[in-house]
Structures are given as structure tokens and as C-alpha cells.
Amino acid sequence: MTAHPRPSTRRVVVFGMPGHLGGANTECWHTVRLWRQHGLDISLIPTWHADEHWQSRLEAIGCRILLGRPDRLDRIDGLHGSVVVSFCNSHFLRCAERLRALGCRTIWLNCMTWLFAAERLHYRHCGPFDAYVFQSHYQQAQLQPQLERFGVRPQQCHRIRGAFCWDEFPFAPLGHAADNPLVLGRISRASPDKFHVDSWAIYGRLPLPIHVRILGCDRRIERRLGRPPVWAECLAAGSEPADRFYHTLHCLVPLNGGAAENWPRCGLEAMAAGVPVVAENRWGWPEMIRHGHTGFLWNTHDELAHIVERLGRDERLRLQVAHRARHALETDLADRQTLWAAWESLFRSLGIETNATHVASKGRPEHGERGSRCRAASQSI
């Protein structure tokens, strides 16, 4: 067997590219930014087309793009012996054994709260990856027991909150006058299980004038929800930039269907932009929101109605919550030093040497660069 070189002391390869829509795709971009701010050598392999927009953004912060084909991974310069990270990328599952044959160590981030069929099949035939990252206690509690049945050891499991660069969502709370409709919003990829089937009825029972804006609709969503009422506005994914969308809202009310949320990035985005979040008291939401302080959690639709009415009638409270949420985001939920320390520990466990040296100005992301979530990227599951 040919001996492949050990990894570059500071090289990490991301299998896949960031995208405009979806938690995994957006988390990829924000995480790569975090790594580059701490000087890691980052390369990305598009699977299998390099989007010009993302290639330009990545190269602007000092990343390299490695072009190749799934059947020619051995010809990709710099891949041999590297640590390879995948953010929920289905192509990675199909190529993982070839990566192992090249001497790569592998890190898998399943951003959902269940194991994919392709993932289970991979474990049955090939065994586990070298390390796993969970973004919340809830997700880890759901997935780790299942992974242990496939031979994953507890020491391979790491809990690291999803990196988030709040500068991409300027803090600008939208003011609300008591005699005007309260603008409620929700944003997600256009997946039916993300939407509560009774959304219109639940929103419609709120005891004050409202206007609802939903970003991420298509024909499947319309079939699930039915014809929108006159006070609702349904927008296709990508029809409005995410940062601009948040600045049209007074609060975010993400009514969910059957998809259990892990570490909802729409919550982080709303908190950054100055939009109070009113979310269901389960899944990953209680780990993100401190009820009554940085947002609100509800257990029943009556509680939801009471909270929204209170926000609509108490502007001072609504703005206080927005300010506290932004502060919590910067100092706790997305604290860069805390996140970097966790990643640094994981990388060192796999042989990647790191230090706290920041990259030169060429590698720093442009301040205020517009955030993500405009269209789907095909490589994400």
C-alpha cells in the first residue's frame, strides 16, 4: 500500500461549499470565517461545481478551491493525509472510503436531529468517522446513542455551537407604533416539514392586528398551508436577502411542523438583527433563548398569543429583549473565542497544529459583507 503523507500541520479541507440557503450551508461559511480568523490553512472541494460567487468570497478570505471529480480524488493536490470536514454533505458520504484510502481523517457534522439513511448505510459497511460535531445538547442526546450502536465512542463526539458572524446581520430593530399591525416573520428552506399545517389558523387567532411575512415558500408549502389570508405575504426562497428580510419584522414566530430544530440559525440571525424570537419551548430553542430575557418560549397556542400581544403593546419591552439578545449572541451564544477553543481542541486531537495568530488583512472577511440564505445549494442533504 502506498504511504500517504501526514497532514499539513495547519491544513483543513472542507468537502463541499457554502450556500445561500439552509443551516448546513450557511454554517459552513461562518465556520470557515472563524477558522481563517485564527490562521488555519483552509481548502474547499466543490461537489462538483464551483459557484463563482462563493469561490470569490472564499478566496477573498484566503481559502483555496480544489477542483476535482469524485472518481479522481487521488489527483486533488493537497487532499492526501488532510483532515476533511463535511457539513451534512451527501457527496461526502459517498466518497468517505476513498478519502480514508488517501490517509484522510474525517469530521462529520450532521446538522439535523436524525441519522440519514445514507449515513446508516455507510456505518454498516464502513464504520464511523473519526470525529463528530453536535451543535446543541438536544441534538447530541438524539444522535449519540444511535451512533454508539455503530461503534462511535464518546471521545469522538464534540459539542460545538454553530459558528455565527453577527456582523453580517446589522443590528437595526424596526420600530412599532401601537396602532399599526405587528409584523411577524418566519424563514426557512422550503421544506414542508418545516411548516405547521395549521399556521394560518394559529397566526389568525392572535388578538391584535398583524402582518405575517414568510420567506421560503413554494408550491409544496402552499399546498400544505392552503391559500394565504390577506394579512400574509408568502415569498419564494431567494426573493429577498435574509438581512433585509429581518429588518422588516417586529418579531420572529417560527411555527414549525415535524422537523425538530437542532440549533436554529434563523434564531441567531434574528437576534443579531434586533428581532425578538418567540419560539416553541422544545428542541434546541431552550438552549438558545432565555425566556423573558433574550426571547420568549411558549408551550401552548394560548401562551403564544399572550406573548405576541404583549410585544405588540409594550414597545419598550420588545426593544429591551432585542438589545439583550444581541448582547447574549456576542458574549455567549456565538462568542468567537469560546467556539475557536472548542475547534482548536478537536483539531489538535486529530493532529492539526493550531495557534491564535490572526490572518493578514487579505484573509479577514470584509466588514458588513451581506449574509446568506438566498437559494439552495445542491450539495446539502
Side-chain angles (χ1 to χ4, degrees):
M1 180 181 291
T2 303
H4 295 296
R6 300 295 291 173
S8 163
T9 57
R10 297 182 57 73
R11 173 174 293 170
V12 173
V13 176
V14 176
F15 206 85
M17 293 274 278
H20 292 291
L21 179 68
N25 292 327
T26 55
E27 184 176 345
C28 177
W29 165 248
H30 288 253
T31 307
V32 167
R33 275 193 59 182
L34 175 73
W35 293 343
R36 287 297 300 139
Q37 287 165 358
H38 290 85
L40 279 187
D41 179 354
I42 306 295
S43 300
L44 296 95
I45 299 176
T47 54
W48 300 101
H49 168 71
D51 181 281
E52 291 183 3
H53 167 78
W54 282 108
Q55 181 168 346
S56 176
R57 291 187 79 181
L58 290 162
E59 290 176 344
I61 64 171
C63 297
R64 291 180 297 164
I65 307 301
L66 307 177
L67 300 178
R69 290 168 38 184
D71 58 339
R72 301 288 177 87
L73 294 179
D74 58 324
R75 299 189 182 184
I76 298 179
D77 182 45
L79 181 58
H80 291 257
S82 63
V83 169
V84 180
V85 183
S86 172
F87 292 80
C88 233
N89 186 299
S90 60
H91 297 283
F92 171 80
L93 294 172
R94 293 192 284 271
C95 295
E97 273 306 279
R98 275 170 274 174
L99 294 171
R100 286 194 181 100
L102 296 175
C104 299
R105 267 75 53 81
T106 52
I107 302 175
W108 172 246
L109 290 88
N110 178 340
C111 298
M112 306 300 184
T113 53
W114 61 88
L115 299 184
F116 301 102
E119 190 179 352
R120 293 176 181 274
L121 183 64
H122 172 86
Y123 298 147
R124 292 190 185 103
H125 291 283
C126 308
F129 302 116
D130 294 290
Y132 292 79
V133 173
F134 308 102
Q135 294 90 356
S136 66
H137 289 273
Y138 174 77
Q139 185 200 32
Q140 187 167 4
Q142 299 302 305
L143 297 186
Q144 187 168 327
Q146 299 180 60
L147 290 169
E148 289 176 353
R149 299 188 195 117
F150 292 104
V152 176
R153 294 169 286 117
Q155 56 266 38
Q156 294 174 268
C157 299
H158 305 258
R159 187 171 60 253
I160 307 176
R161 288 171 173 164
F164 182 75
C165 303
W166 56 81
D167 61 314
E168 299 199 358
F169 292 85
F171 184 76
L174 177 67
H176 174 248
D179 55 345
N180 290 335
L182 191 72
V183 183
L184 316 180
R186 79 172 314 284
I187 178 173
S188 73
R189 54 188 170 84
S191 176
D193 65 349
K194 286 278 190 180
F195 291 77
H196 197 293
V197 68
D198 295 323
S199 292
W200 301 138
I202 296 170
Y203 286 124
R205 67 183 292 181
L206 300 178
L208 75 171
I210 61 169
H211 180 75
V212 176
R213 305 193 80 224
I214 296 180
L215 182 59
C217 291
D218 61 12
R219 290 182 178 177
R220 295 173 302 157
I221 306 306
E222 185 175 349
R223 284 196 297 268
R224 180 172 176 82
L225 302 186
R227 183 185 297 274
V230 294
W231 41 260
E233 185 180 359
C234 297
L235 307 171
S239 60
E240 194 168 308
D243 57 344
R244 189 183 306 165
F245 174 78
Y246 286 109
H247 293 145
T248 69
L249 308 179
H250 293 124
C251 60
L252 186 76
V253 184
L255 294 179
N256 203 296
E261 297 290 352
N262 165 23
W263 185 245
R265 296 192 69 81
C266 65
L268 302 176
E269 294 168 352
M271 295 168 87
V275 182
V277 181
V278 184
E280 196 166 357
N281 188 22
R282 60 173 173 165
W283 307 318
W285 286 113
E287 298 178 45
M288 183 178 291
I289 294 172
R290 182 179 166 192
H291 178 65
H293 188 78
T294 61
F296 295 89
L297 300 167
W298 55 271
N299 296 291
T300 68
H301 295 153
D302 286 340
E303 290 180 3
L304 168 61
H306 173 73
I307 292 167
V308 172
E309 181 180 22
R310 187 181 174 195
L311 291 175
R313 304 197 189 285
D314 191 341
E315 179 68 352
R316 182 171 178 269
L317 170 65
R318 194 182 66 84
L319 294 178
Q320 283 178 339
V321 170
H323 282 271
R324 290 194 295 252
R326 173 71 182 217
H327 179 73
L329 186 70
E330 296 183 13
T331 60
D332 178 22
L333 301 176
D335 175 64
R336 290 171 179 139
Q337 292 307 313
T338 301
L339 295 175
W340 170 245
W343 276 109
E344 186 175 37
S345 176
L346 170 53
F347 286 140
R348 285 181 173 174
S349 74
L350 296 179
I352 293 289
E353 297 178 9
T354 62
N355 60 40
T357 303
H358 290 262
V359 293
S361 58
K362 177 184 177 184
R364 294 190 186 119
E366 51 273 43
H367 179 72
E369 188 175 39
R370 185 162 286 175
S372 45
R373 289 182 183 267
C374 292
R375 60 181 177 79
S378 61
Q379 71 264 33
S380 180
I381 293 175

